Tab-separated table of all heavy atoms in Angstrom:
chain	number	residue	atom	x	y	z
A	1	MET	N	5.641	-3.918	-9.411
A	1	MET	CA	5.910	-3.939	-7.978
A	1	MET	C	4.626	-4.329	-7.252
A	1	MET	O	3.585	-3.725	-7.460
A	1	MET	CB	6.394	-2.579	-7.509
A	1	MET	CG	7.761	-2.220	-8.034
A	1	MET	SD	8.403	-0.755	-7.239
A	1	MET	CE	8.826	0.200	-8.677
A	2	ASN	N	4.752	-5.329	-6.406
A	2	ASN	CA	3.563	-5.898	-5.783
A	2	ASN	C	3.324	-5.450	-4.347
A	2	ASN	O	2.361	-5.890	-3.733
A	2	ASN	CB	3.611	-7.422	-5.852
A	2	ASN	CG	4.835	-7.996	-5.178
A	2	ASN	OD1	5.510	-7.320	-4.414
A	2	ASN	ND2	5.124	-9.251	-5.445
A	3	GLY	N	4.190	-4.624	-3.790
A	3	GLY	CA	3.936	-4.098	-2.457
A	3	GLY	C	4.325	-5.001	-1.309
A	3	GLY	O	3.962	-4.732	-0.170
A	4	GLN	N	5.088	-6.065	-1.579
A	4	GLN	CA	5.499	-6.973	-0.514
A	4	GLN	C	6.817	-6.573	0.140
A	4	GLN	O	7.134	-7.063	1.216
A	4	GLN	CB	5.619	-8.405	-1.051
A	4	GLN	CG	4.290	-9.002	-1.439
A	4	GLN	CD	4.429	-10.426	-1.941
A	4	GLN	OE1	5.531	-10.880	-2.242
A	4	GLN	NE2	3.328	-11.115	-2.036
A	5	ASN	N	7.578	-5.724	-0.502
A	5	ASN	CA	8.876	-5.303	0.034
A	5	ASN	C	8.789	-3.883	0.568
A	5	ASN	O	8.421	-2.958	-0.157
A	5	ASN	CB	9.959	-5.387	-1.042
A	5	ASN	CG	10.180	-6.815	-1.482
A	5	ASN	OD1	10.284	-7.716	-0.675
A	5	ASN	ND2	10.218	-7.014	-2.787
A	6	ARG	N	9.159	-3.721	1.839
A	6	ARG	CA	9.081	-2.414	2.490
A	6	ARG	C	9.972	-1.386	1.794
A	6	ARG	O	9.634	-0.209	1.720
A	6	ARG	CB	9.476	-2.558	3.959
A	6	ARG	CG	9.169	-1.336	4.800
A	6	ARG	CD	9.483	-1.610	6.274
A	6	ARG	NE	8.934	-0.588	7.130
A	6	ARG	CZ	9.522	0.584	7.377
A	6	ARG	NH1	10.685	0.866	6.813
A	6	ARG	NH2	8.948	1.457	8.178
A	7	SER	N	11.097	-1.851	1.237
A	7	SER	CA	12.040	-0.933	0.588
A	7	SER	C	11.445	-0.262	-0.648
A	7	SER	O	11.924	0.785	-1.080
A	7	SER	CB	13.317	-1.680	0.209
A	7	SER	OG	13.033	-2.716	-0.719
A	8	GLU	N	10.384	-0.831	-1.224
A	8	GLU	CA	9.749	-0.261	-2.410
A	8	GLU	C	8.686	0.784	-2.069
A	8	GLU	O	8.210	1.493	-2.944
A	8	GLU	CB	9.084	-1.368	-3.238
A	8	GLU	CG	10.044	-2.392	-3.778
A	8	GLU	CD	9.334	-3.569	-4.426
A	8	GLU	OE1	8.099	-3.693	-4.272
A	8	GLU	OE2	10.010	-4.362	-5.083
A	9	ILE	N	8.299	0.846	-0.789
A	9	ILE	CA	7.205	1.710	-0.364
A	9	ILE	C	7.763	2.926	0.361
A	9	ILE	O	8.661	2.799	1.194
A	9	ILE	CB	6.254	0.952	0.606
A	9	ILE	CG1	5.866	-0.417	0.056
A	9	ILE	CG2	5.034	1.803	0.935
A	9	ILE	CD1	5.029	-0.404	-1.170
A	10	ARG	N	7.216	4.097	0.058
A	10	ARG	CA	7.602	5.313	0.784
A	10	ARG	C	6.454	6.316	0.712
A	10	ARG	O	5.577	6.209	-0.140
A	10	ARG	CB	8.892	5.905	0.230
A	10	ARG	CG	8.826	6.357	-1.188
A	10	ARG	CD	10.206	6.715	-1.732
A	10	ARG	NE	10.134	7.098	-3.124
A	10	ARG	CZ	10.017	6.269	-4.139
A	10	ARG	NH1	9.955	4.976	-3.930
A	10	ARG	NH2	9.959	6.712	-5.376
A	11	ALA	N	6.486	7.258	1.610
A	11	ALA	CA	5.453	8.299	1.645
A	11	ALA	C	5.420	9.023	0.307
A	11	ALA	O	6.458	9.280	-0.296
A	11	ALA	CB	5.727	9.279	2.775
A	12	GLY	N	4.222	9.303	-0.165
A	12	GLY	CA	4.060	10.021	-1.424
A	12	GLY	C	3.748	9.133	-2.609
A	12	GLY	O	3.340	9.635	-3.658
A	13	LEU	N	3.915	7.815	-2.467
A	13	LEU	CA	3.605	6.909	-3.569
A	13	LEU	C	2.106	6.757	-3.733
A	13	LEU	O	1.363	6.724	-2.755
A	13	LEU	CB	4.186	5.513	-3.311
A	13	LEU	CG	5.672	5.306	-3.469
A	13	LEU	CD1	6.013	3.846	-3.196
A	13	LEU	CD2	6.120	5.676	-4.862
A	14	GLU	N	1.651	6.624	-4.980
A	14	GLU	CA	0.261	6.286	-5.256
A	14	GLU	C	0.180	4.767	-5.341
A	14	GLU	O	0.925	4.140	-6.102
A	14	GLU	CB	-0.204	6.927	-6.565
A	14	GLU	CG	-1.666	6.691	-6.831
A	14	GLU	CD	-2.172	7.455	-8.051
A	14	GLU	OE1	-1.363	8.027	-8.794
A	14	GLU	OE2	-3.396	7.441	-8.239
A	15	VAL	N	-0.704	4.193	-4.537
A	15	VAL	CA	-0.801	2.731	-4.434
A	15	VAL	C	-2.255	2.282	-4.435
A	15	VAL	O	-3.170	3.060	-4.179
A	15	VAL	CB	-0.121	2.219	-3.137
A	15	VAL	CG1	1.372	2.485	-3.151
A	15	VAL	CG2	-0.757	2.832	-1.896
A	16	ASN	N	-2.442	0.997	-4.718
A	16	ASN	CA	-3.720	0.334	-4.528
A	16	ASN	C	-3.572	-0.558	-3.312
A	16	ASN	O	-2.622	-1.356	-3.241
A	16	ASN	CB	-4.099	-0.513	-5.743
A	16	ASN	CG	-4.552	0.324	-6.915
A	16	ASN	OD1	-5.143	1.377	-6.741
A	16	ASN	ND2	-4.266	-0.146	-8.109
A	17	ILE	N	-4.504	-0.425	-2.354
A	17	ILE	CA	-4.457	-1.244	-1.147
A	17	ILE	C	-5.758	-2.015	-1.000
A	17	ILE	O	-6.773	-1.686	-1.617
A	17	ILE	CB	-4.230	-0.388	0.123
A	17	ILE	CG1	-5.426	0.542	0.389
A	17	ILE	CG2	-2.932	0.402	0.034
A	17	ILE	CD1	-5.389	1.212	1.761
A	18	VAL	N	-5.701	-3.067	-0.179
A	18	VAL	CA	-6.906	-3.785	0.221
A	18	VAL	C	-7.162	-3.438	1.678
A	18	VAL	O	-6.313	-3.660	2.537
A	18	VAL	CB	-6.750	-5.310	0.054
A	18	VAL	CG1	-7.940	-6.036	0.639
A	18	VAL	CG2	-6.601	-5.665	-1.404
A	19	LEU	N	-8.337	-2.863	1.935
A	19	LEU	CA	-8.734	-2.546	3.298
A	19	LEU	C	-9.125	-3.835	4.012
A	19	LEU	O	-9.500	-4.822	3.369
A	19	LEU	CB	-9.917	-1.577	3.295
A	19	LEU	CG	-9.698	-0.250	2.562
A	19	LEU	CD1	-11.000	0.521	2.473
A	19	LEU	CD2	-8.629	0.564	3.249
A	20	LYS	N	-9.052	-3.853	5.337
A	20	LYS	CA	-9.389	-5.032	6.133
A	20	LYS	C	-10.775	-5.577	5.759
A	20	LYS	O	-10.948	-6.767	5.546
A	20	LYS	CB	-9.332	-4.673	7.626
A	20	LYS	CG	-9.609	-5.817	8.558
A	20	LYS	CD	-8.405	-6.699	8.698
A	20	LYS	CE	-8.597	-7.687	9.823
A	20	LYS	NZ	-7.463	-8.583	9.928
A	21	GLN	N	-11.765	-4.685	5.649
A	21	GLN	CA	-13.122	-5.131	5.369
A	21	GLN	C	-13.298	-5.637	3.934
A	21	GLN	O	-14.296	-6.262	3.619
A	21	GLN	CB	-14.153	-4.034	5.665
A	21	GLN	CG	-14.018	-2.797	4.803
A	21	GLN	CD	-13.178	-1.712	5.444
A	21	GLN	OE1	-12.296	-1.996	6.262
A	21	GLN	NE2	-13.420	-0.462	5.071
A	22	ASP	N	-12.305	-5.375	3.063
A	22	ASP	CA	-12.388	-5.810	1.666
A	22	ASP	C	-11.504	-7.016	1.361
A	22	ASP	O	-11.358	-7.391	0.194
A	22	ASP	CB	-11.991	-4.653	0.736
A	22	ASP	CG	-12.961	-3.494	0.803
A	22	ASP	OD1	-14.152	-3.733	1.087
A	22	ASP	OD2	-12.528	-2.346	0.582
A	23	GLN	N	-10.920	-7.632	2.390
A	23	GLN	CA	-10.002	-8.737	2.141
A	23	GLN	C	-10.679	-9.918	1.453
A	23	GLN	O	-10.075	-10.561	0.602
A	23	GLN	CB	-9.344	-9.189	3.447
A	23	GLN	CG	-8.278	-8.229	3.917
A	23	GLN	CD	-7.637	-8.649	5.222
A	23	GLN	OE1	-8.177	-9.468	5.945
A	23	GLN	NE2	-6.500	-8.070	5.527
A	24	LEU	N	-11.922	-10.211	1.781
A	24	LEU	CA	-12.611	-11.345	1.163
A	24	LEU	C	-12.921	-11.084	-0.306
A	24	LEU	O	-12.834	-11.993	-1.129
A	24	LEU	CB	-13.900	-11.676	1.930
A	24	LEU	CG	-13.704	-12.240	3.335
A	24	LEU	CD1	-15.053	-12.473	4.005
A	24	LEU	CD2	-12.921	-13.536	3.285
A	25	THR	N	-13.293	-9.867	-0.642
A	25	THR	CA	-13.642	-9.544	-2.028
A	25	THR	C	-12.431	-9.140	-2.854
A	25	THR	O	-12.448	-9.256	-4.073
A	25	THR	CB	-14.663	-8.386	-2.080
A	25	THR	OG1	-14.060	-7.210	-1.550
A	25	THR	CG2	-15.922	-8.726	-1.312
A	26	GLY	N	-11.387	-8.647	-2.200
A	26	GLY	CA	-10.193	-8.193	-2.909
A	26	GLY	C	-10.343	-6.821	-3.534
A	26	GLY	O	-9.521	-6.415	-4.358
A	27	LYS	N	-11.388	-6.090	-3.153
A	27	LYS	CA	-11.622	-4.739	-3.687
A	27	LYS	C	-10.444	-3.836	-3.352
A	27	LYS	O	-9.997	-3.769	-2.214
A	27	LYS	CB	-12.906	-4.171	-3.100
A	27	LYS	CG	-13.204	-2.763	-3.552
A	27	LYS	CD	-14.439	-2.200	-2.868
A	27	LYS	CE	-14.548	-0.722	-3.166
A	27	LYS	NZ	-15.042	0.033	-2.031
A	28	LEU	N	-9.955	-3.124	-4.368
A	28	LEU	CA	-8.804	-2.250	-4.187
A	28	LEU	C	-9.241	-0.808	-3.967
A	28	LEU	O	-10.235	-0.350	-4.528
A	28	LEU	CB	-7.891	-2.310	-5.413
A	28	LEU	CG	-7.248	-3.666	-5.688
A	28	LEU	CD1	-6.453	-3.613	-6.984
A	28	LEU	CD2	-6.374	-4.108	-4.540
A	29	THR	N	-8.476	-0.119	-3.133
A	29	THR	CA	-8.685	1.297	-2.850
A	29	THR	C	-7.403	2.031	-3.213
A	29	THR	O	-6.326	1.645	-2.784
A	29	THR	CB	-9.001	1.504	-1.357
A	29	THR	OG1	-10.169	0.755	-1.028
A	29	THR	CG2	-9.218	2.967	-1.032
A	30	ARG	N	-7.512	3.098	-4.002
A	30	ARG	CA	-6.334	3.852	-4.441
A	30	ARG	C	-6.118	5.055	-3.538
A	30	ARG	O	-7.067	5.699	-3.101
A	30	ARG	CB	-6.509	4.309	-5.879
A	30	ARG	CG	-5.267	5.007	-6.432
A	30	ARG	CD	-5.349	5.214	-7.900
A	30	ARG	NE	-5.247	3.930	-8.564
A	30	ARG	CZ	-5.108	3.776	-9.881
A	30	ARG	NH1	-5.082	4.806	-10.672
A	30	ARG	NH2	-5.003	2.576	-10.402
A	31	GLY	N	-4.856	5.351	-3.269
A	31	GLY	CA	-4.539	6.517	-2.471
A	31	GLY	C	-3.048	6.776	-2.419
A	31	GLY	O	-2.254	6.070	-3.037
A	32	ILE	N	-2.686	7.791	-1.667
A	32	ILE	CA	-1.289	8.206	-1.509
A	32	ILE	C	-0.817	7.784	-0.119
A	32	ILE	O	-1.485	8.043	0.882
A	32	ILE	CB	-1.145	9.736	-1.647
A	32	ILE	CG1	-1.760	10.232	-2.966
A	32	ILE	CG2	0.312	10.168	-1.520
A	32	ILE	CD1	-1.065	9.738	-4.204
A	33	VAL	N	0.359	7.146	-0.064
A	33	VAL	CA	0.916	6.670	1.202
A	33	VAL	C	1.304	7.848	2.087
A	33	VAL	O	2.011	8.761	1.643
A	33	VAL	CB	2.152	5.781	0.963
A	33	VAL	CG1	2.806	5.380	2.282
A	33	VAL	CG2	1.786	4.551	0.154
A	34	LYS	N	0.829	7.806	3.332
A	34	LYS	CA	1.236	8.798	4.334
A	34	LYS	C	2.245	8.179	5.294
A	34	LYS	O	3.281	8.763	5.567
A	34	LYS	CB	0.019	9.298	5.107
A	34	LYS	CG	0.362	10.306	6.178
A	34	LYS	CD	-0.872	10.786	6.908
A	34	LYS	CE	-0.493	11.780	7.985
A	34	LYS	NZ	-1.660	12.183	8.777
A	35	ASP	N	1.926	6.974	5.831
A	35	ASP	CA	2.796	6.292	6.800
A	35	ASP	C	2.914	4.821	6.443
A	35	ASP	O	1.947	4.214	5.973
A	35	ASP	CB	2.195	6.373	8.218
A	35	ASP	CG	1.989	7.791	8.701
A	35	ASP	OD1	2.961	8.553	8.644
A	35	ASP	OD2	0.873	8.105	9.128
A	36	ILE	N	4.081	4.241	6.726
A	36	ILE	CA	4.286	2.800	6.597
A	36	ILE	C	4.134	2.202	7.987
A	36	ILE	O	4.803	2.620	8.926
A	36	ILE	CB	5.683	2.491	6.019
A	36	ILE	CG1	5.827	3.135	4.643
A	36	ILE	CG2	5.906	0.987	5.951
A	36	ILE	CD1	7.226	3.049	4.071
A	37	LEU	N	3.234	1.230	8.120
A	37	LEU	CA	2.932	0.664	9.425
A	37	LEU	C	3.613	-0.678	9.680
A	37	LEU	O	3.748	-1.087	10.829
A	37	LEU	CB	1.413	0.512	9.578
A	37	LEU	CG	0.620	1.808	9.367
A	37	LEU	CD1	-0.865	1.535	9.475
A	37	LEU	CD2	1.045	2.875	10.347
A	38	THR	N	4.045	-1.373	8.635
A	38	THR	CA	4.745	-2.649	8.790
A	38	THR	C	6.219	-2.380	9.056
A	38	THR	O	6.855	-1.621	8.326
A	38	THR	CB	4.599	-3.509	7.515
A	38	THR	OG1	3.223	-3.785	7.304
A	38	THR	CG2	5.360	-4.822	7.641
A	39	ASN	N	6.766	-3.022	10.110
A	39	ASN	CA	8.182	-2.834	10.445
A	39	ASN	C	9.094	-3.822	9.746
A	39	ASN	O	10.257	-3.523	9.507
A	39	ASN	CB	8.388	-2.925	11.958
A	39	ASN	CG	7.807	-1.719	12.676
A	39	ASN	OD1	7.878	-0.614	12.175
A	39	ASN	ND2	7.228	-1.950	13.834
A	40	SER	N	8.596	-5.015	9.423
A	40	SER	CA	9.453	-6.036	8.816
A	40	SER	C	9.797	-5.644	7.376
A	40	SER	O	9.041	-4.916	6.724
A	40	SER	CB	8.768	-7.405	8.846
A	40	SER	OG	7.591	-7.379	8.087
A	41	PRO	N	10.941	-6.121	6.860
A	41	PRO	CA	11.370	-5.726	5.516
A	41	PRO	C	10.493	-6.312	4.411
A	41	PRO	O	10.489	-5.806	3.289
A	41	PRO	CB	12.791	-6.254	5.413
A	41	PRO	CG	12.927	-7.260	6.484
A	41	PRO	CD	11.951	-6.913	7.552
A	42	ARG	N	9.734	-7.379	4.712
A	42	ARG	CA	8.902	-8.029	3.703
A	42	ARG	C	7.669	-8.606	4.377
A	42	ARG	O	7.727	-9.042	5.520
A	42	ARG	CB	9.709	-9.146	3.043
A	42	ARG	CG	9.040	-9.754	1.860
A	42	ARG	CD	9.963	-10.736	1.132
A	42	ARG	NE	9.390	-11.127	-0.133
A	42	ARG	CZ	8.316	-11.906	-0.249
A	42	ARG	NH1	7.734	-12.387	0.818
A	42	ARG	NH2	7.840	-12.212	-1.440
A	43	HIS	N	6.544	-8.613	3.674
A	43	HIS	CA	5.330	-9.251	4.188
A	43	HIS	C	4.610	-9.907	3.014
A	43	HIS	O	4.368	-9.261	1.995
A	43	HIS	CB	4.408	-8.235	4.865
A	43	HIS	CG	3.342	-8.874	5.689
A	43	HIS	ND1	2.233	-9.445	5.110
A	43	HIS	CD2	3.223	-9.069	7.018
A	43	HIS	CE1	1.472	-9.954	6.054
A	43	HIS	NE2	2.050	-9.740	7.225
A	44	PRO	N	4.251	-11.196	3.139
A	44	PRO	CA	3.665	-11.918	2.004
A	44	PRO	C	2.306	-11.392	1.545
A	44	PRO	O	1.916	-11.591	0.398
A	44	PRO	CB	3.542	-13.356	2.513
A	44	PRO	CG	3.577	-13.250	3.996
A	44	PRO	CD	4.412	-12.038	4.312
A	45	HIS	N	1.574	-10.698	2.410
A	45	HIS	CA	0.258	-10.176	2.040
A	45	HIS	C	0.300	-8.699	1.683
A	45	HIS	O	-0.736	-8.100	1.409
A	45	HIS	CB	-0.747	-10.402	3.179
A	45	HIS	CG	-0.903	-11.837	3.526
A	45	HIS	ND1	-1.415	-12.770	2.643
A	45	HIS	CD2	-0.598	-12.521	4.642
A	45	HIS	CE1	-1.423	-13.953	3.217
A	45	HIS	NE2	-0.923	-13.827	4.431
A	46	GLY	N	1.490	-8.112	1.697
A	46	GLY	CA	1.634	-6.693	1.366
A	46	GLY	C	1.972	-5.877	2.595
A	46	GLY	O	1.571	-6.194	3.705
A	47	ILE	N	2.714	-4.816	2.389
A	47	ILE	CA	3.109	-3.911	3.462
A	47	ILE	C	1.896	-3.088	3.880
A	47	ILE	O	1.184	-2.549	3.043
A	47	ILE	CB	4.253	-2.988	2.985
A	47	ILE	CG1	5.487	-3.810	2.573
A	47	ILE	CG2	4.612	-1.957	4.049
A	47	ILE	CD1	6.102	-4.652	3.666
A	48	LYS	N	1.664	-2.996	5.189
A	48	LYS	CA	0.524	-2.229	5.700
A	48	LYS	C	0.893	-0.750	5.752
A	48	LYS	O	1.948	-0.383	6.260
A	48	LYS	CB	0.123	-2.718	7.086
A	48	LYS	CG	-1.194	-2.111	7.565
A	48	LYS	CD	-1.593	-2.615	8.930
A	48	LYS	CE	-2.238	-3.968	8.827
A	48	LYS	NZ	-2.825	-4.394	10.124
A	49	VAL	N	0.002	0.071	5.200
A	49	VAL	CA	0.236	1.514	5.145
A	49	VAL	C	-1.025	2.276	5.562
A	49	VAL	O	-2.126	1.747	5.537
A	49	VAL	CB	0.647	1.979	3.724
A	49	VAL	CG1	1.948	1.352	3.287
A	49	VAL	CG2	-0.454	1.723	2.714
A	50	ARG	N	-0.813	3.548	5.915
A	50	ARG	CA	-1.917	4.490	6.141
A	50	ARG	C	-1.875	5.480	4.989
A	50	ARG	O	-0.816	6.046	4.685
A	50	ARG	CB	-1.767	5.221	7.468
A	50	ARG	CG	-2.875	6.243	7.720
A	50	ARG	CD	-2.722	6.976	9.042
A	50	ARG	NE	-2.865	6.051	10.168
A	50	ARG	CZ	-1.889	5.724	11.019
A	50	ARG	NH1	-0.685	6.257	10.900
A	50	ARG	NH2	-2.109	4.893	12.007
A	51	LEU	N	-3.020	5.689	4.360
A	51	LEU	CA	-3.108	6.647	3.266
A	51	LEU	C	-3.321	8.053	3.820
A	51	LEU	O	-3.647	8.223	4.995
A	51	LEU	CB	-4.270	6.278	2.341
A	51	LEU	CG	-4.199	4.889	1.697
A	51	LEU	CD1	-5.423	4.663	0.816
A	51	LEU	CD2	-2.920	4.693	0.911
A	52	THR	N	-3.172	9.049	2.962
A	52	THR	CA	-3.343	10.444	3.387
A	52	THR	C	-4.771	10.711	3.862
A	52	THR	O	-4.988	11.622	4.654
A	52	THR	CB	-2.990	11.420	2.250
A	52	THR	OG1	-3.744	11.068	1.089
A	52	THR	CG2	-1.508	11.379	1.935
A	53	ASN	N	-5.749	9.904	3.424
A	53	ASN	CA	-7.135	10.082	3.868
A	53	ASN	C	-7.449	9.302	5.141
A	53	ASN	O	-8.592	9.267	5.580
A	53	ASN	CB	-8.115	9.709	2.755
A	53	ASN	CG	-8.041	8.243	2.360
A	53	ASN	OD1	-7.370	7.445	3.005
A	53	ASN	ND2	-8.733	7.903	1.299
A	54	GLY	N	-6.430	8.631	5.720
A	54	GLY	CA	-6.591	7.925	6.984
A	54	GLY	C	-6.919	6.451	6.861
A	54	GLY	O	-6.899	5.728	7.855
A	55	GLN	N	-7.205	5.969	5.659
A	55	GLN	CA	-7.518	4.552	5.490
A	55	GLN	C	-6.252	3.716	5.641
A	55	GLN	O	-5.161	4.130	5.252
A	55	GLN	CB	-8.156	4.308	4.125
A	55	GLN	CG	-9.522	4.934	3.988
A	55	GLN	CD	-10.106	4.706	2.613
A	55	GLN	OE1	-9.499	5.075	1.620
A	55	GLN	NE2	-11.279	4.097	2.573
A	56	VAL	N	-6.415	2.496	6.217
A	56	VAL	CA	-5.290	1.600	6.457
A	56	VAL	C	-5.538	0.287	5.727
A	56	VAL	O	-6.638	-0.268	5.780
A	56	VAL	CB	-5.124	1.336	7.971
A	56	VAL	CG1	-4.059	0.275	8.225
A	56	VAL	CG2	-4.769	2.623	8.697
A	57	GLY	N	-4.507	-0.191	5.041
A	57	GLY	CA	-4.625	-1.467	4.346
A	57	GLY	C	-3.267	-1.932	3.863
A	57	GLY	O	-2.252	-1.284	4.103
A	58	ARG	N	-3.283	-3.086	3.186
A	58	ARG	CA	-2.048	-3.673	2.680
A	58	ARG	C	-1.880	-3.355	1.199
A	58	ARG	O	-2.812	-3.497	0.414
A	58	ARG	CB	-2.052	-5.179	2.895
A	58	ARG	CG	-2.014	-5.506	4.382
A	58	ARG	CD	-1.596	-6.934	4.634
A	58	ARG	NE	-1.588	-7.202	6.060
A	58	ARG	CZ	-0.561	-6.982	6.859
A	58	ARG	NH1	0.555	-6.479	6.367
A	58	ARG	NH2	-0.630	-7.264	8.141
A	59	VAL	N	-0.662	-2.949	0.826
A	59	VAL	CA	-0.367	-2.568	-0.558
A	59	VAL	C	-0.414	-3.796	-1.453
A	59	VAL	O	0.230	-4.810	-1.182
A	59	VAL	CB	1.021	-1.899	-0.664
A	59	VAL	CG1	1.360	-1.587	-2.117
A	59	VAL	CG2	1.082	-0.635	0.178
A	60	LYS	N	-1.188	-3.697	-2.516
A	60	LYS	CA	-1.268	-4.757	-3.531
A	60	LYS	C	-0.562	-4.348	-4.809
A	60	LYS	O	-0.042	-5.190	-5.526
A	60	LYS	CB	-2.729	-5.110	-3.830
A	60	LYS	CG	-3.430	-5.739	-2.649
A	60	LYS	CD	-2.746	-7.025	-2.229
A	60	LYS	CE	-3.372	-7.636	-1.000
A	60	LYS	NZ	-2.628	-8.781	-0.508
A	61	GLN	N	-0.571	-3.049	-5.111
A	61	GLN	CA	0.087	-2.561	-6.323
A	61	GLN	C	0.610	-1.149	-6.079
A	61	GLN	O	-0.049	-0.362	-5.402
A	61	GLN	CB	-0.906	-2.466	-7.494
A	61	GLN	CG	-1.519	-3.773	-7.892
A	61	GLN	CD	-2.679	-3.567	-8.863
A	61	GLN	OE1	-3.370	-2.561	-8.805
A	61	GLN	NE2	-2.892	-4.535	-9.728
A	62	ILE	N	1.772	-0.881	-6.651
A	62	ILE	CA	2.279	0.487	-6.670
A	62	ILE	C	1.866	1.065	-8.020
A	62	ILE	O	2.244	0.546	-9.067
A	62	ILE	CB	3.803	0.528	-6.487
A	62	ILE	CG1	4.154	-0.037	-5.097
A	62	ILE	CG2	4.328	1.957	-6.656
A	62	ILE	CD1	5.629	-0.195	-4.861
A	63	VAL	N	1.038	2.103	-7.978
A	63	VAL	CA	0.471	2.666	-9.199
A	63	VAL	C	1.459	3.567	-9.896
A	63	VAL	O	1.719	3.438	-11.082
A	63	VAL	CB	-0.820	3.458	-8.893
A	63	VAL	CG1	-1.376	4.109	-10.141
A	63	VAL	CG2	-1.847	2.539	-8.254
A	64	ARG	N	2.031	4.488	-9.155
A	64	ARG	CA	2.933	5.466	-9.744
A	64	ARG	C	3.958	5.882	-8.724
A	64	ARG	O	3.600	6.262	-7.608
A	64	ARG	CB	2.143	6.686	-10.210
A	64	ARG	CG	2.962	7.652	-10.997
A	64	ARG	CD	2.207	8.846	-11.504
A	64	ARG	NE	0.770	8.758	-11.390
A	64	ARG	CZ	-0.014	9.760	-11.026
A	64	ARG	NH1	0.494	10.921	-10.715
A	64	ARG	NH2	-1.304	9.607	-10.960
A	65	PRO	N	5.250	5.837	-9.066
A	65	PRO	CA	6.274	6.315	-8.138
A	65	PRO	C	6.068	7.783	-7.827
A	65	PRO	O	5.487	8.521	-8.612
A	65	PRO	CB	7.589	6.107	-8.894
A	65	PRO	CG	7.275	5.112	-9.948
A	65	PRO	CD	5.814	5.309	-10.293
A	66	GLU	N	6.581	8.205	-6.695
A	66	GLU	CA	6.467	9.605	-6.265
A	66	GLU	C	7.035	10.521	-7.339
A	66	GLU	O	8.148	10.326	-7.814
A	66	GLU	CB	7.248	9.791	-4.957
A	66	GLU	CG	7.155	11.165	-4.373
A	66	GLU	CD	7.914	11.276	-3.071
A	66	GLU	OE1	8.733	10.413	-2.785
A	66	GLU	OE2	7.668	12.230	-2.344
A	67	GLY	N	6.235	11.491	-7.724
A	67	GLY	CA	6.685	12.452	-8.717
A	67	GLY	C	6.644	11.945	-10.140
A	67	GLY	O	7.004	12.643	-11.063
A	68	GLY	N	6.193	10.684	-10.337
A	68	GLY	CA	6.137	10.127	-11.687
A	68	GLY	C	4.983	10.693	-12.476
A	68	GLY	O	3.982	11.100	-11.935
A	69	ASP	N	5.125	10.702	-13.793
A	69	ASP	CA	4.080	11.247	-14.655
A	69	ASP	C	3.494	10.179	-15.574
A	69	ASP	O	3.128	10.439	-16.690
A	69	ASP	CB	4.632	12.400	-15.505
A	69	ASP	CG	4.991	13.592	-14.654
A	69	ASP	OD1	4.285	13.835	-13.658
A	69	ASP	OD2	5.964	14.281	-14.985
A	70	GLU	N	3.453	8.956	-15.108
A	70	GLU	CA	2.941	7.856	-15.927
A	70	GLU	C	1.448	7.912	-16.046
A	70	GLU	O	0.739	8.287	-15.191
A	70	GLU	CB	3.345	6.515	-15.313
A	70	GLU	CG	4.843	6.336	-15.320
A	70	GLU	CD	5.254	5.042	-14.624
A	70	GLU	OE1	4.458	4.076	-14.602
A	70	GLU	OE2	6.343	4.998	-14.102
């Protein structure tokens, strides 16, 4: 799952995001989704989310579904 579809993202998911300041380098930041900020059903650069620590960025990868033990 690449984070481009809003239907795949929900609060509680562990994801890798790219922060605005890291867009040029592509550095990923891992965290837990708190809020979904993108309203459209799909976004080519990833759905924008706010993590539980307050950081905001676009989802690049879904690491683990909510409650998953992978």
Side-chain angles (χ1 to χ4, degrees):
M1 292 190 232
N2 58 16
Q4 292 181 346
N5 295 314
R6 192 175 193 277
S7 62
E8 297 172 349
I9 311 293
R10 63 190 178 282
L13 285 181
E14 185 174 9
V15 295
N16 286 328
I17 66 169
V18 173
L19 302 172
K20 182 79 169 177
Q21 63 266 27
D22 295 331
Q23 285 179 343
L24 292 178
T25 64
K27 178 184 170 217
L28 296 176
T29 301
R30 185 169 290 189
I32 306 295
V33 175
K34 179 179 179 184
D35 301 307
I36 300 172
L37 304 177
T38 299
N39 289 323
S40 63
R42 188 173 190 290
H43 194 283
H45 301 296
I47 300 299
K48 189 179 280 189
V49 297
R50 178 180 295 114
L51 301 180
T52 54
N53 64 8
Q55 293 178 303
V56 173
R58 294 197 181 273
V59 176
K60 294 300 177 187
Q61 298 169 329
I62 297 173
V63 177
R64 188 178 348 139
E66 183 179 16
D69 293 325
E70 296 176 27

